[in-house]
Structures are given as C-alpha cells and as structure tokens.
Amino acid sequence: MRDLKLNLCISSAQLYVAGTSIEEIQRKYGLEEIIKLASNENALGPSPRAVEAMRGALASIHRYPPVADDELRAKLASTFSDSGLSEECFITGNGSCDVLAMITRAFICEEGDEAIICPPTFVMYEILVNICGGKCVFVNLKDDFTCDLSQVLANITERTRLIFLCNPNNPTGTMISRDELDDFLAKVPSSVLVVVDEAYWEYADPGLLPDTLAHIREGRNVLSIRTFSKVYGLAGLRIGYGIAYEELAQYIRRLRMPFHINAVAMRGAIAALDDREHVEKSVQHNEVEREFLYAGLEDLELPYVRSQSNFIIVKPGYDPQVIYERMLEKGVIIRPMAAFRAPDCFRITVGTRAENERLLQVLDDVMDGLRQGR
Ligand SMILES: Cc1ncc(COP(=O)(O)O)c(C=O)c1O
C-alpha cells in the first residue's frame, strides 16, 4: 500500500462493528448455550413462507437472477397499493444499508457537502457520509431522547444535502409523531432530501406513526428506508428497500450493481410480503414481551426508555461496557451503545420469553455484583 494514493475519507472512516455473534462467544468462553439480544433480530425467527419459497429457489441457483428486480418492486407496490405508489418508486438493495449507501453516494458528492444526523442513532449514517467525503452535522437528541427538529431546521445551510431521521429511532426507540414530521417537512427547503429510516416501523404504534408514503406521493423530497431484516425475520438474507417519488428513485437506482439482489433473497422477500400472519404474530409477541422486560427492568431499578420498537435502551448508571462483558461471560449478548454515541447506555433486543427471563436473571446477577462494589 506504501506507494498507493489512498482516499483519506475511506482510510480514516470508522469501521462498523456489528453485535457480537453467538459463534464468537461459544469459541471464546466455551459456553454451550448463548442468548443473543444484541442486533434487533426477530425473536420468532424467519417467516415460514419465506423459508419454503427459498428452498424452492435453490435448485436453480446455478442461474443468474433476473438482472432487474421488477418482480419484487411490483410486489412491493401491490403490498402498499393503498399508498398509490408505482413499482417505479421502489429501490431494492442488499439490505437497507445498501440503499443507504446508494443514497449517500448519490447526494454527498463534493467535499464539505453536509448531512444532518441526530445521535444517539444508527451509526451507519455517519460512516457513509464520512466515506463519501461529506461533513456530518450532529444535532443531539433532547434529554428525553426525542428528536430536536427545531434544531435540525436551524442547522440547515446551503451545503446541506441530506437529513437522516431514524423513526422509530435505533437505539432509543423514541419516535417523531405524524404531526411533528408533517410540520417539519413543510419547513425543510426543497434543496434537501430527508431520509426517514423506518426499519422498525411495523413495531410502532400505528396511531402515532407518520404517513411518509403520503409525503412521497405528494412529490416531497422524502425517502423512506425499510427492511426485511427486522419484523420479517430475514436479517441473514440481506434484503431491504427504499421508497421515493419515481424520478428520485430512478436516479438512485442508477447506482445498483448488476444482479444486486440474489435469487434466493428475491424469492424469500416476495413470499415474506404475503405472510401477514408472521408479521402480526411478531408484532403481538413484541408488545407482550416488551412489557415483560419493562417490568423486569423496574424490579432491577434500571432506568429505561419506553420503546416503539423491538429493543429497549437502558441507562444503568454503571459502565455499560463492563456490564456487557460480564454478561458475555454468562452467555448473554447485549449491545453497549458507545459507537452509537450513547456511551452511558446499553441496548437489549426483545427476545422469546425464555430468553428475556434469562437476560433479566443474568442482568440481576451482574448489577448485584456492581452495586456491591465487586
Ligand atoms: C435503523 C436501522 N436502519 C437500517 C438498518 C440496516 O438493516 P439491514 O441492512 O439489515 O436492512 C438497521 C439495522 O440494524 C437499523 O437499525
């Protein structure tokens, strides 16, 4: 590399560190039973209909997939037919991160182009903007972890190209309501694209949820990000999508690689969209188990924030990194949130009842030790 001229934006960018994997901990501690509640995966597993469809796709895996993703985009358009958006409005990707990368590349084009980000939030926005040579303008969440939209507006400059809003927000589970988003979008200049990352929207209270698709239908510079990784239980498959008005979606789709969605993922996603039962079961499970976890955290006197998603942020009053490491030793993986700019918090994903019981038991043990100065 010595004589190569490197792109400093790439060589100095922070690396994404994913939640610790089960295999890693099995190897490190020689433990049999590991519980992973670190990456906001679906506690109930994948959609059974998706699994069946993917099995069927395996026999033809020697063939390239269709170069276009028309079938999936048509299925998405029919799934959201109430919104009146055509298949031209959808951008598919190898996970929604892939779509986020396309958007950033499409709009952060010159050094100093700005993107507004509201931490603590999903760390990929910051990483992608840095890689593209942009400038991250941070507008911190308020003390109650809600988004400070008036400060976001106050930080818009002539160089602002993108605003990233995560709704519900990972890792806090807090949400921008429909009225708040409507009011905000009416004030954002038309030169700025607002990316609303709705990776967890299915878990949120539908009464509070903004109607981003209505804004897109009206031709606003709004782009919604969604994924098959969360409520559909297909995180390992890598498939997600974005929604925008036609012209904008077509512009971003130019950045797709040939065969960017693999053939198995395409079949799995299409089948998952038909599996409403799995989605409903997953959402109901999440509501019940989130309440169970709230009650457990209250018993342990651990401050947390009520969540509109399938995870809960906890502010333990002790070093979250120490808590994380002690829990790892006992086979429970949680996620400390320093990388997401919440160094005094950790995040837990809602699991099955057995997993949640085990998590609370181990957390009780670890907190007991810390409170007694051990
Ligand atoms: C807010 C948010 N957006 C996007 C993603 C990326 O999801 P994927 O690339 O698996 O679709 C995640 C993953 O955790 C997330 O939390």
Side-chain angles (χ1 to χ4, degrees):
M1 293 261 283
R2 207 177 38 219
D3 297 326
L4 300 177
K5 181 164 164 29
L6 303 183
N7 178 333
L8 281 180
C9 300
I10 297 175
S11 55
S12 62
Q14 177 187 350
L15 284 179
Y16 180 75
V17 181
T20 314
S21 75
I22 290 178
E23 294 73 20
E24 221 176 310
I25 297 312
Q26 270 169 339
R27 269 198 308 273
K28 186 164 172 191
Y29 297 102
L31 295 169
E32 284 271 293
E33 210 187 304
I34 312 280
I35 291 170
K36 183 185 178 206
L37 296 172
S39 300
N40 305 339
E41 295 148 344
N42 188 329
L44 301 188
S47 147
R49 286 174 73 164
V51 173
E52 200 187 311
M54 290 189 285
R55 275 206 192 97
L58 289 177
S60 318
I61 206 69
H62 58 301
R63 302 275 178 218
Y64 281 107
V67 70
D69 53 357
D70 298 7
E71 194 185 340
L72 176 56
R73 286 192 292 110
K75 184 74 192 172
L76 285 165
S78 74
T79 304
F80 296 105
S81 59
D82 288 355
S83 69
L85 298 173
S86 80
E87 63 194 67
E88 288 303 313
C89 297
F90 293 84
I91 309 150
T92 60
N94 186 25
S96 60
C97 276
D98 190 29
V99 184
L100 286 168
M102 288 191 255
I103 297 163
T104 313
R105 194 164 156 224
F107 287 96
I108 302 292
C109 307
E110 288 169 32
E111 203 182 321
D113 280 351
E114 293 174 7
I116 301 181
I117 297 170
C118 305
T121 194
F122 186 46
V123 68
M124 277 313 295
Y125 315 138
E126 178 179 345
I127 294 176
L128 290 169
V129 171
N130 285 334
I131 284 175
C132 291
K135 178 178 162 198
C136 297
V137 175
F138 294 109
V139 175
N140 289 336
L141 300 184
K142 295 187 240 178
D143 288 345
D144 63 357
F145 283 150
T146 57
C147 194
D148 198 340
L149 290 172
S150 60
Q151 273 310 303
V152 173
L153 288 171
N155 277 276
I156 295 175
T157 71
E158 291 214 325
R159 298 301 305 268
T160 308
R161 302 285 174 261
L162 295 172
I163 297 173
F164 289 98
L165 299 176
C166 188
N167 207 38
N169 185 47
N170 176 13
T172 57
T174 46
M175 199 159 80
I176 299 166
S177 71
R178 179 184 292 226
D179 289 349
E180 286 167 328
L181 190 74
D182 291 351
D183 181 56
F184 171 77
L185 291 176
K187 295 175 182 159
V188 174
S190 59
S191 55
V192 178
L193 174 60
V194 180
V195 179
V196 187
D197 186 340
E198 302 184 306
Y200 301 94
W201 72 276
E202 293 94 339
Y203 291 111
D205 177 348
L208 291 176
L209 201 65
D211 189 353
T212 40
L213 303 193
H215 290 288
I216 293 167
R217 192 173 50 241
E218 285 160 19
R220 290 226 166 77
N221 289 333
V222 176
L223 198 154
S224 166
I225 291 287
R226 300 186 174 190
T227 185
F228 288 94
S229 297
K230 305 301 173 183
V231 89
Y232 293 102
L234 300 174
L237 197 60
R238 311 307 304 129
I239 187 155
Y241 59 101
I243 316 174
Y245 59 83
E246 284 189 14
E247 216 184 335
L248 177 55
Q250 278 161 358
Y251 169 64
I252 294 165
R253 277 206 302 274
R254 287 171 174 272
L255 289 165
R256 273 185 328 200
M257 293 296 122
F259 314 112
H260 72 301
I261 305 272
N262 75 71
V264 177
M266 194 104 72
R267 294 260 61 89
I270 289 169
L273 285 169
D274 279 331
D275 197 348
R276 301 321 300 166
E277 198 188 329
H278 185 67
V279 171
E280 277 159 30
K281 226 165 88 181
S282 302
V283 170
Q284 273 165 18
H285 168 88
N286 190 61
E287 279 167 14
V288 172
E289 290 307 311
R290 201 170 49 193
E291 288 297 329
F292 178 76
L293 284 171
Y294 290 158
L297 291 168
E298 277 159 34
D299 283 347
L300 300 182
E301 294 176 9
L302 283 169
Y304 66 90
V305 179
R306 288 182 78 84
S307 169
Q308 291 288 334
S309 197
N310 69 338
F311 51 80
I312 304 169
I313 195 163
V314 182
K315 205 170 177 174
Y318 289 83
D319 186 351
Q321 186 64 29
V322 173
I323 296 173
Y324 159 74
E325 281 161 18
R326 291 195 183 180
M327 289 186 74
L328 271 191
E329 288 166 19
K330 297 173 193 286
V332 178
I333 313 176
I334 58 164
R335 190 95 172 257
M337 284 287 110
F340 285 47
R341 295 180 178 256
D344 49 359
C345 296
F346 63 80
R347 189 192 67 196
I348 54 178
T349 301
V350 176
T352 62
R353 175 57 60 94
E355 287 172 334
N356 297 335
E357 280 173 347
R358 176 98 183 108
L359 170 112
L360 289 169
Q361 201 180 41
V362 168
L363 190 54
D364 188 14
D365 255 20
V366 168
M367 291 310 301
D368 228 30
L370 286 169
R371 284 169 176 155
Q372 287 174 30
R374 280 188 271 119

